[in-house]
Amino acid sequence: MVFVAVAELRGFRAAARQLGVTPSAISQTIRALEQRVGAPLLSRTTRSVGLTEAGERLLVHARPAMEMLSLGLDAAASLGDDVSGRLRINLPRAILPLLANRLLPDFLEAYPNVQLELCGDDNFIDIVEQGFDAGIRMARSVPTDMIAVPITPRIRFAVIAAPSYVRKRGRPSRPRELVQFNCIQLRRSTGGIFDWDFVEDGKPVKVPINGSLIVNDVEVCLRAVLRGVGFARLPISLVMSYIEKGEMETALDEYAVERPGLMLYYPSRSQSLPKLRAFAHFAQKRMRRDFRAGDYLPTVLH
């Protein structure tokens, strides 16, 4: 188990964090295994850990063996009703407030033996490789080899701006008029820029936009909109509270598109984990209702 963790995570410290032991314990275990095998398994430098030829051969056989053992342990654990242990979930930073407001503290009170770890990360990662039990992403971003459970309604995208910007520059009446306005662009974690797409005359259209600001963080995008930098395009659920307070206005509502909502996803072998089943059931019950203005914490400006 220790060898597979080090080999997959390419590091002693990362393996130690995943297994809940100290790096020195990992090192001692690997040394003992190498003595038993009679050959070095890992090539170590100050910056990285790699596999020797012997290590690569061992990993080929050890990985499927560990998968079978993990399945057996999960199957045995599923016979009990004890919902406990650490549950690690990876999700975009922007939706952390949604989970906090919809699920906490009720989930933790219902399952006091679960330690819930919500890790906000806008980079799309391999949740299995990084030691997460599950992830939450927009439906179109979920890997095809994962089990996916819908946990929110469909999401409508809105074009928004501060009233001060609208008073100064006006607002577009059709999507193609956006080229006349300053538009804040949001860069994906993969490096590309999010498209601004709409439905016009019953057909999907993508609109080229101009803008003096590109950001890769939703929070910064929101702050820029509130400061009157220009228009932005974000899920309506993220900006409902600002619209309700009059701090933002929408445009082009009749051309807005909807996308499938957020999905909880995980590898098939994890569905027998009681802690994950409990979380999935709780999230579906609490998060499937329509979005409300209070679902996301407001941005505090100074």
Side-chain angles (χ1 to χ4, degrees):
M1 183 183 297
V2 170
F3 169 73
V4 170
V6 173
E8 291 183 342
L9 299 176
R10 300 294 180 179
F12 280 40
R13 291 187 178 277
R17 285 194 298 270
Q18 178 173 299
L19 298 176
V21 298
T22 63
S24 61
I26 296 288
S27 182
Q28 291 174 8
T29 301
I30 293 298
R31 280 200 302 270
L33 182 60
E34 288 177 328
Q35 290 175 359
R36 178 179 176 183
V37 173
L41 301 173
L42 302 169
S43 56
R44 299 182 280 275
T45 68
T46 56
R47 294 187 176 182
S48 64
V49 174
L51 291 173
T52 63
E53 183 180 358
E56 290 177 351
R57 290 187 181 184
L58 177 58
L59 185 61
V60 168
H61 296 281
R63 185 180 278 129
M66 286 303 305
E67 287 288 325
M68 292 299 296
L69 177 59
S70 179
L71 286 171
L73 292 172
D74 290 349
S78 68
L79 295 177
D81 296 325
D82 183 28
V83 179
S84 62
R86 180 181 297 181
L87 181 62
R88 303 186 71 224
I89 299 178
N90 180 273
L91 66 162
R93 286 174 292 174
I95 64 173
L96 280 167
L98 175 64
L99 263 71
N101 288 333
R102 289 279 182 101
L103 303 182
L104 304 181
D106 296 348
F107 175 78
L108 299 178
E109 291 176 352
Y111 302 101
N113 294 325
V114 172
Q115 183 183 43
L116 180 62
E117 180 178 349
L118 301 176
C119 182
D121 186 354
D122 293 335
N123 294 317
F124 191 81
I125 65 165
D126 183 331
I127 60 170
V128 176
E129 183 179 294
Q130 297 299 320
F132 288 95
D133 297 293
I136 297 176
R137 284 290 188 275
M138 293 286 287
R140 58 184 175 180
S141 299
V142 175
T144 56
D145 61 344
M146 294 283 175
I147 292 177
V149 178
I151 58 173
T152 71
R154 292 175 65 83
I155 295 175
R156 181 167 64 89
F157 283 78
V159 174
I160 42 98
S164 60
Y165 184 82
V166 174
R167 285 194 300 269
K168 182 169 58 177
R169 296 297 309 277
R171 70 177 75 230
S173 58
R174 298 182 73 87
R176 61 174 175 267
E177 295 178 9
L178 282 167
V179 296
Q180 304 169 24
F181 297 86
N182 195 40
C183 296
I184 304 164
Q185 301 178 75
L186 194 61
R187 189 176 294 281
R188 299 173 183 269
S189 61
T190 55
I193 301 255
F194 280 96
D195 294 322
W196 288 37
D197 51 346
F198 302 90
V199 176
E200 190 169 7
D201 298 325
K203 299 178 181 178
V205 294
K206 290 184 179 180
V207 176
I209 57 173
N210 297 317
S212 58
L213 178 64
I214 301 173
V215 299
N216 70 342
D217 183 85
V218 171
E219 180 72 13
V220 176
C221 184
L222 288 170
R223 287 175 177 266
V225 171
L226 291 168
R227 294 296 189 189
V229 172
F231 282 101
R233 180 177 176 273
L234 291 168
I236 189 69
S237 53
L238 283 174
V239 297
M240 290 174 71
S241 63
Y242 302 110
I243 295 170
E244 190 176 81
K245 291 184 291 185
E247 297 173 344
M248 290 184 187
E249 298 180 6
T250 62
L252 303 172
D253 290 344
E254 62 269 38
Y255 303 102
V257 299
E258 284 191 353
R259 302 285 184 219
L262 296 171
M263 311 287 284
L264 175 72
Y265 68 97
Y266 46 87
S268 59
R269 67 179 180 84
S270 296
Q271 59 186 327
S272 61
L273 296 175
K275 59 184 179 182
L276 183 56
R277 290 202 312 271
F279 181 86
H281 177 73
F282 200 93
Q284 283 185 295
K285 183 170 62 175
R286 290 298 183 90
M287 297 182 67
R288 291 289 288 174
R289 64 169 171 78
D290 290 340
F291 293 107
R292 298 173 184 171
D295 286 333
Y296 286 86
L297 299 177
T299 304
V300 179
L301 293 176
H302 300 286

